[in-house]
Amino acid sequence: MSDTLTKAPPQAPTRPWAKIIGTAVLLVVLVLLPVLVGSHVAYLKLAQYVLIGAVGGIGLTLIVGQAGQLSLAHPFFLLLGAVSYAVLAGDPAETPDLVSLHWPPMLAVIGAVIICGLVGLAFAPVAGRVRGIYLGVASLSLVFLGLWLGQSLGILTGGTGSGRPPPTFSLFGFPFSNTTPAPTIAGVAIQKQQRLWYLFLAFAVLAYVLARGAVRGRIGRAWRAVRDNEAAAAAMGVSVARIKAGAFTISSAYAGLAGVMTALWLDLVKPDENEFTGNYSLTVSIAFLAIVIIGGLGSVPGAVVGAMVVYGLQQFFLLGANEFGWFAGAQFGGLSAVILAAFIYGLAVVLVVLFEPGGAAAIGRRLAASLSRKEQR
Amino acid sequence: MIRGRSKAIAAGALALVLAACGSTADTGAGATGAGGIKTDKGVTDTTISLGIMGDTSGVFKNLGAAINAGNQLWVDDVNAKGGICNRQLKLEVVDHGYKADTAKTLYPQLEPKVLGIVQLLGSPVLAALKQNLIDDNMTAAPASWSSQILNNPNIMMIGTTYDLEIVNGMAYLQQQGLIKDGDTVGHIYIDGEYGGNGLLGSKYYAGVHKLNVKEAKITSTDNDLTNIVTGFKGDGVKAIVLTTTPGQSASALAANQALALNVPVLGNNPTFDPALLKTPAAGALGNLYVAASSAPFSSETPKAAEIAAAYKAKYPGSPLNGGVDVGYVEGLVWQSVLTKACENKDLSRAGVQTALKSLNSVKTDDLVAELDYSSPGSPPTRGVYIAKVDAKAEGGLTEVAPLFTAPDVAGYKAPFQK
């Protein structure tokens, strides 16, 4: 991974008011999103989906971009997180033939994230021995392992036939499902999808803040040192093996959280029927890699932008197609929303690699720099 | 600085939320429209809107497009005769590309606009939308025939399920003297809802007729089944049962011929695609019997012939397959349900459910066997069409036994049958 990435932004001499106001506006918009979309719940569902991509993408950008270790194992940890949550929080009364421990859901989420982190740590000896594309291939084996385990451990996963329902999330007795009466914000009922949005937003903000903290702190410097030159890092007193293992653990925990979110979003935990299509398949490995490349390797905000392109675009086009009649007449072949979105996402990857290897993050930095220069003039 | 900023933002956001908070009960009560008919979603005084969640861009795009066309032909026919309940029918079509996550996003957009779903294609999609259908009391006709989904009361199964297709098919083979009690039979199935359901059928039939079933589990992306068929040859199988994709069927059939095994092969409805007749395996397909709940494209059943003609006229050059019959018959069942709901003066979603459960003999001009929806959890019918591959027939299949119902099927208990 190259050295063009994640330079510290130039310190502005005064308080970056534009940035503060921008962040505040963004947060307010995100908090009020359920009100803004109103009855068009589909867009909220889409936004939730983007947050899943963002949380997983942040996890991957830390390990691939910051620590310089190529991992394609993300879908395995997604599956592990989803199944762990369902097993830990499952109600034996609802799923009598499956292992269900009936933990409180919040505890189950934490448990699922920890399990994923530990399994990631167990993979660390492999990660410590092989590098680059070889590590990528080695990590790919986990996706196949996940496929096989998902099919054979039906007592945990519910099997590929029907899967198992994930337990409804609840916090201090407040269920994240439809209730009557429902609280309202500005006249919009806060039902299951709105509640899930706030839950996902909280998860995503937490994931974002922790990742930014790690990148800016001591651990982030150690990651970058190991990425750029292991020998030099070791000479400076960085324990290379420990740092690599730690990066894998943290990245896996992020993927685990994204897995829990996937289960709640889909109302279903179901292992894939094959390795190429599905929610925990090779396609998802590639999608996450595309997220971090489009966003700019190592950039946390970039991963969020990447998630918007990769996870958001296709479904946005589809929603638009149905609402405004775009791409009508594509019944028997022709340009459909799915095909157009695939082109854009492929094109974005190619353009980024050719013209702006720093991805969306570099574009953003350049824009910010030119803005502040104008301000100073 | 950062901390102070976040605190201020959090406080601001909280204040906004609290200021706007309130509480309300859902006002989901129905209205009463023209003709004194109760309605809630998807029905106005002049139209009834139904949804299609199909696949015209994913792995089943040929079949999916034909099913959509079948739905549309049905709507055209109904509207030409004045509609249902003095209302014209309207379709809201969405394409999920056979992806559960896409369907999950598209569903909330479709849901408020429609009374029910005339076609919901794909078992992964169905699994992901199960809870949505229950929450919204949305009745949906699936283009997926596993009896494992019948624990969802909102699923309106059209025709026979995969397990019963296999039971009937094996009974047909035995009736033709191709297998006998005590024989060994091989069953290749895809691990998942589709394959697992087909396997239930062969296990049941084997139990009744003391057959020895050799199971071979594969994933839907395995391409070469030669080694499995070779193993079957060693086991001395007298027939092979397939619950696979069309490509996999071709591989198994080619191996069956190449190894000079040449036993009869029985497949579920989705095992055959007319496109196989243009592949190098075309010469080996002759041993395949397809047991399907709906009529093949070339069926001589008068209604099926009429639909085939209308399809070719309206969509020239489009792929010829049985999907159009599937789509049309989904419509016909919806027609019975809506007509009944209209008689009950209740075209709300709950009214549709009530009407559905009161129907115990829906006739579809023999496109599928007579349907009985009065016992939820049980497949609504148990008869199948048995067809044989025939390169000369349109759609590649010629029926050999129309609406065949084996005596053995009566004793079969589906997973959620009460």
Side-chain angles (χ1 to χ4, degrees), chain B residues 250-273:
Chain B
S251 170
L253 286 158
N256 182 32
Q257 191 182 53
L259 299 169
L261 181 60
N262 285 323
V263 292
V265 178
L266 168 70
N268 281 99
N269 192 5
T271 53
F272 180 73
D273 179 339

Side-chain angles (χ1 to χ4, degrees), chain B residues 303 329 332-333 336 362-371:
Chain B
K303 188 69 187 175
V329 75
L332 286 180
V333 177
S336 304
V362 177
K363 294 196 179 64
T364 56
D365 295 328
D366 279 349
L367 287 176
V368 297
E370 195 173 310
L371 302 159

Side-chain angles (χ1 to χ4, degrees), chain B residues 229-318:
Chain B
V229 178
T230 310
F232 282 168
K233 192 180 180 190
D235 295 329
V237 300
K238 293 291 185 291
I240 296 174
V241 181
L242 300 177
T243 312
T244 52
T245 65
Q248 292 170 337
S249 309
S251 170
L253 286 158
N256 182 32
Q257 191 182 53
L259 299 169
L261 181 60
N262 285 323
V263 292
V265 178
L266 168 70
N268 281 99
N269 192 5
T271 53
F272 180 73
D273 179 339
L276 291 183
L277 290 165
K278 299 193 183 85
T279 65
L285 302 177
N287 286 317
L288 180 65
Y289 293 83
V290 177
S293 83
S294 60
F297 190 82
S298 68
S299 172
E300 282 162 18
T301 309
K303 188 69 187 175
E306 188 190 314
I307 294 167
Y311 177 67
K312 280 187 283 185
K314 183 162 180 186
Y315 303 96
S318 46

Side-chain angles (χ1 to χ4, degrees), chain B residues 32-105:
Chain B
T32 304
I37 287 169
K38 200 174 148 199
T39 61
D40 51 12
K41 290 192 178 171
V43 182
T44 68
D45 285 353
T46 51
T47 56
I48 298 175
S49 298
L50 294 171
I52 291 179
M53 295 198 83
D55 174 11
T56 50
S57 60
V59 284
F60 288 107
K61 59 174 185 262
N62 280 347
L63 184 68
I67 301 180
N68 284 10
N71 294 149
Q72 187 62 49
L73 288 173
W74 164 70
V75 166
D76 294 347
D77 285 357
V78 169
N79 286 345
K81 285 179 197 150
I84 297 173
C85 223
N86 293 322
R87 290 161 168 85
Q88 294 279 298
L89 296 184
K90 195 172 142 234
L91 290 177
E92 296 278 348
V93 186
V94 302
D95 167 26
H96 55 59
Y98 203 66
K99 286 171 73 183
D101 44 8
T102 307
K104 198 77 182 171
T105 310

Side-chain angles (χ1 to χ4, degrees), chain A residues 285-304:
Chain A
S285 295
I286 305 301
F288 274 113
L289 208 56
I291 287 178
V292 301
I293 290 175
I294 292 173
L297 285 173
S299 163
V300 175
V304 179

Side-chain angles (χ1 to χ4, degrees), chain B residues 325-390:
Chain B
D325 299 283
V326 171
Y328 199 92
V329 75
E330 284 171 340
L332 286 180
V333 177
W334 262 104
Q335 190 171 347
S336 304
V337 174
L338 292 175
T339 309
K340 181 79 188 172
C342 183
E343 284 170 20
N344 296 344
K345 300 218 172 280
D346 187 355
L347 274 177
S348 66
R349 288 200 182 145
V352 167
Q353 275 288 307
T354 313
L356 175 65
K357 293 199 178 84
S358 71
L359 294 174
N360 54 18
S361 83
V362 177
K363 294 196 179 64
T364 56
D365 295 328
D366 279 349
L367 287 176
V368 297
E370 195 173 310
L371 302 159
D372 176 3
Y373 290 102
S374 57
S375 43
S378 177
T381 176
R382 303 197 167 211
V384 299
Y385 279 87
I386 304 216
K388 205 158 185 275
V389 174
D390 175 1

Side-chain angles (χ1 to χ4, degrees), chain B residues 162-184:
Chain B
Y162 298 128
D163 40 6
L164 288 165
E165 285 179 352
I166 295 294
V167 175
N168 275 315
M170 291 177 84
Y172 177 79
L173 293 185
Q174 184 151 19
Q175 194 190 50
Q176 298 294 309
L178 296 168
I179 53 174
K180 58 181 191 304
D181 283 10
D183 276 353
T184 300

